[in-house]
Amino acid sequence: MAMKGILLVLLLESLVLVAADTFKDEALNIMASCPVIDGHNDLPWQLLSKFNNQLNKTDLYTLNDTHTNIPKLRAGRVGGQFWAAYVPCDTQGKDAVKRTLEQIDVIQRMCEEYPEVFSCVDSVQGIEDAFAGNKIASLIGVEGGHSIDSSLGTLRTFYKLGVRYMTLTHSCNAPWVDNWLVDRGDDQAENNGLSEFGKNVILEMNRLGMIVDLSHVSVKTMRDTLEVSKAPVIFSHSSAYSLCNHARNVPDDLLKLVKEKRGLVMVNFYNDYVTCSKTANLSNVADHFDYIKKVAGYESVGFGGDYDGVPRVPEGLEDVSKYPDLVAELLRRNWTHAELNASLAYNLLRVFREVEQVKTNMMTSDPKEVPIEYEKIKSDCHTSYGYDVSDVKDAAERQLLGKGLILLCLLYSLLV
Ligand SMILES: *[C@@H]1O[C@H](CO)[C@@H](O)[C@H](O)[C@H]1NC(C)=O
Ligand SMILES: *[C@@H]1O[C@H](CO)[C@@H](O)[C@H](O)[C@H]1NC(C)=O
Ligand SMILES: *[C@@H]1O[C@H](CO)[C@@H](O)[C@H](O)[C@H]1NC(C)=O
Ligand SMILES: *[C@@H]1O[C@H](CO)[C@@H](O)[C@H](O)[C@H]1NC(C)=O
Ligand SMILES: *[C@@H]1O[C@H](CO)[C@@H](O)[C@H](O)[C@H]1NC(C)=O
Ligand SMILES: [Zn+2]
C-alpha cells in the first residue's frame, strides 16, 4: 500500500516535471518563430558606468556582471531590443544633450562592433529584416525629456540619428512636462501634466514618427498625452498599479484608455514595481501579465524587463536569458499561441506601424517652430540667442548701469 502510494507520488511528480518541460519546450518553439521585442534595457548605461563607453575594454560575449550579454540574449530568444539612451536628471540644463548623443553613439558602435549579433534598425521593416536574418533588431529609446533640453530642433535631430521612442521624463520634471514623483508628492507639479510647449513636443513626435513613451510620467501627463497624441503610445517599462501601488505603474483607468487608443504596456520586472517589496518571483511578474490582459486585453501587453537598469530582479528572471521561462509560465496559465505572439512582438510592431502611418499622414504638415519661452530655460548654462530679451532683465541691467554711469559723471564733475 505504502509502496503503491510512493509510486503514485513519483508518477505524479514526473508528470509535473514532464509538463513543466513541455511548457518550456513549447515556449522555445513559439519564440523560435516569434522572438521577444523588449521595451527597455539599460546595457548602454552599464557600458558608460563600467567602461566609460570604451567598448574595446569589454567583450559582450563574456561580460558577466550584467543582466545582459550576447549568450544570455540568444538563450532568452531576444529578437528586438529598445536600448535606453539614458542620462540622469542631474545632467538637465547642463550636458544632457552631449551625454545623450554619447549614449546613442555607444549603441550604434555596439551594432558596428558585433554585426553578427546586432542590427541597428529604425523601422518596422528593419525589425522584420533583422528577425529574418536572426539578428537582434536594435532600436534606440531616449529615456527622459530632459535629454532634448527643451529644444524641438534637438528632438528632430535625435530622430535623424535613429531614436524611435522618447520617454517624456525620467525621475524629474522637464520645463514642459511633469514626472511620476509629482504623484507621490516628492516633486512639485510645474506643468500640470503637459504644458502647451509639451503638447507640441507630442505632436512633433507624431509628425516625425517617434513613439511616445509614458513610463516615468505623472498620471496627469499620461492623460494629457493620450488625449493629444495622434498615434498610439507605449509604456516601455511599467507594470500594473492595482497589483503594486507604485507611482511608476499604470492605474486601471489609464490601462483602459491605453486599450482604447491601441497602445501598449510593457511589463517591468523590477521587484519594487512588481510586488512593492524587495523580493519578487517569476510568478508575481506573470500576475501582472494576467492582470493587464484582463483589464486591457492581450493586445495591450508586452515585455519591458528594465534589465541592467535596476538593482533587483525576480527569482526566476535573473537575466535576459529567462524570457522563455516567463512565456512557459504564461502557457501554464492558458495563454494561447496567438496571445503570446502578440505580447512578445506583434503588439509592439502594430503600435510602431501605426506611428509610421501617422507620420505618413502628417507628411504635409510643417515642423513645429515655436521655441519654449525663454523664462522657462533661463540659466547660466543657456544663452539667449534668437530670443528677444531686450525688454527683460538684460535691459533692466543696462538701465541700472546707465544710471550708475551718469551718477559717476555727476560726482566727477562736482569734484573737479
Ligand atoms: C583598444 O584600443 C587601443 C587604443 O586605441 C588599442 O591599442 C587596442 O588594440 C584596442 N583593443 C582592442 C581589443 O581592439
Ligand atoms: C567574469 O569575468 C571576469 C573578467 O573577464 C573573469 O575574471 C571572471 O572569472 C568571470 N567570472 C565568472 C563567474 O565567469
Ligand atoms: C512567488 O511568490 C509568492 C508570494 O508573492 C508565493 O506565494 C509563490 O509561491 C512564489 N512562487 C514561486 C514559484 O516561488
Ligand atoms: C487552464 O485550462 C485548463 C483546461 O481548460 C483548466 O483546467 C485550468 O484550470 C486552466 N488554468 C488556469 C490557470 O486558468
Ligand atoms: C505566431 O507567429 C508566428 C511567426 O510569425 C507564426 O508563424 C504563427 O502562425 C503565429 N501563431 C499564431 C497562433 O498566431
Ligand atoms: Zn526607467
Side-chain angles (χ1 to χ4, degrees):
M1 197 63 201
M3 195 61 179
K4 265 190 194 166
I6 288 169
L7 278 177
L8 191 64
V9 166
L10 283 177
L11 185 68
L12 283 175
E13 267 181 2
S14 61
L15 274 178
V16 167
L17 280 177
V18 166
D21 283 344
T22 305
F23 286 129
K24 179 72 178 280
D25 287 346
E26 198 181 338
L28 289 171
N29 199 29
I30 288 172
M31 295 180 84
S33 59
C34 185
V36 63
I37 303 175
D38 180 275
H40 196 91
N41 182 301
D42 272 305
L43 180 64
W45 175 251
Q46 297 294 330
L47 296 175
L48 173 64
S49 312
K50 291 183 191 302
F51 312 110
N52 207 1
N53 283 343
Q54 299 164 97
L55 286 180
N56 158 329
K57 295 207 164 158
T58 182
D59 176 347
L60 294 186
Y61 283 95
T62 55
L63 181 67
N64 61 20
D65 55 355
T66 49
H67 297 143
T68 312
N69 67 21
I70 289 170
K72 287 173 186 170
L73 286 165
R74 289 307 198 183
R77 304 301 191 265
V78 177
Q81 182 66 64
F82 280 90
W83 303 105
Y86 159 72
V87 302
C89 277
D90 61 355
T91 63
Q92 169 144 244
K94 295 182 192 159
D95 55 354
V97 174
K98 180 205 85 165
R99 284 198 170 275
T100 305
L101 288 171
E102 288 172 346
Q103 294 317 97
I104 291 170
D105 168 71
V106 81
I107 295 165
Q108 288 169 342
R109 282 189 290 120
M110 190 173 87
C111 290
E112 284 158 16
E113 194 138 327
Y114 301 91
E116 71 286 11
V117 179
F118 303 111
S119 174
C120 272
V121 300
D122 57 14
S123 63
V124 169
Q125 186 62 52
I127 297 176
E128 286 169 347
D129 292 348
F131 273 18
N134 193 30
K135 301 283 162 56
I136 298 172
S138 295
L139 299 109
I140 303 169
V142 162
E143 188 181 23
H146 60 284
S147 281
I148 63 167
D149 202 4
S150 301
S151 156
L152 292 165
T154 303
L155 175 71
R156 286 186 280 268
T157 302
F158 280 172
Y159 180 86
K160 291 193 180 118
L161 293 176
V163 174
R164 285 300 174 269
Y165 80 57
M166 180 169 76
T167 319
L168 298 183
T169 67
H170 191 253
S171 300
C172 55
N173 295 338
W176 46 273
V177 58
D178 291 343
N179 84 107
W180 65 281
L181 289 170
V182 163
D183 294 332
R184 259 190 9 189
D186 292 340
D187 244 349
Q188 294 289 318
E190 291 172 54
N191 303 284
N192 186 27
L194 282 173
S195 69
E196 283 311 305
F197 181 84
K199 288 174 185 168
N200 279 337
V201 171
I202 304 300
L203 291 171
E204 192 64 356
M205 290 173 76
N206 290 160
R207 194 188 66 86
L208 289 166
M210 195 188 287
I211 303 170
V212 178
D213 176 19
L214 294 181
S215 283
H216 282 278
V217 306
S218 72
V219 169
K220 183 61 168 44
T221 303
M222 295 177 196
R223 283 190 189 291
D224 286 357
T225 306
L226 280 156
E227 199 177 304
V228 168
S229 179
K230 296 179 188 298
V233 305
I234 64 168
F235 288 79
S236 70
H237 57 307
S238 293
S239 303
Y241 186 86
S242 279
L243 296 190
C244 159
N245 63 352
H246 194 292
R248 274 284 283 102
N249 288 337
V250 191
D252 284 3
D253 49 342
L254 267 300
L255 286 177
K256 287 174 188 148
L257 266 180
V258 167
K259 174 193 172 74
E260 214 171 279
K261 302 278 170 118
R262 301 171 310 283
L264 177 60
V265 177
M266 306 175 95
V267 174
N268 192 315
F269 301 172
Y270 182 35
N271 295 359
D272 301 40
Y273 304 162
V274 170
T275 58
C276 283
S277 76
K278 303 285 177 230
T279 58
N281 61 36
L282 180 149
S283 168
N284 302 140
V285 175
D287 291 345
H288 283 262
F289 278 81
D290 273 341
Y291 188 83
I292 296 171
K293 182 180 149 198
K294 192 180 81 188
V295 176
Y298 73 87
E299 301 92 334
S300 300
V301 199
F303 296 69
D306 211 356
Y307 281 113
D308 280 313
V310 296
R312 288 172 288 282
V313 286
E315 205 187 314
L317 288 173
E318 287 80 6
D319 56 54
V320 299
S321 72
K322 305 290 183 162
Y323 294 100
D325 297 278
L326 181 51
V327 171
E329 174 62 21
L330 296 176
L331 281 166
R332 192 172 292 118
R333 294 174 180 217
N334 289 340
W335 283 52
T336 66
H337 193 162
E339 289 167 347
L340 288 166
N341 268 3
S343 60
L344 284 166
Y346 291 156
N347 289 337
L348 188 280
L349 290 172
R350 178 199 74 233
V351 169
F352 198 1
R353 210 173 274 118
E354 279 199 49
V355 167
E356 289 180 344
Q357 185 58 51
V358 168
K359 174 191 177 78
T360 306
N361 297 348
M362 293 178 77
M363 206 69 104
T364 55
S365 54
D366 293 329
K368 297 279 177 200
E369 293 193 321
V370 178
I372 199 164
E373 306 93 290
Y374 180 61
E375 285 303 315
K376 290 269 170 98
I377 54 161
K378 197 164 126 189
S379 82
D380 288 347
C381 297
H382 288 120
T383 51
S384 64
Y385 298 120
Y387 286 97
D388 181 11
V389 294
S390 52
D391 56 342
V392 198
K393 185 160 167 277
D394 291 6
E397 272 166 8
R398 268 198 304 276
Q399 234 173 15
L400 212 66
L401 196 69
K403 280 180 185 157
L405 278 174
I406 292 169
L407 213 68
L408 269 177
C409 288
L410 271 173
L411 274 172
Y412 183 77
S413 57
L414 280 175
L415 285 173
V416 173

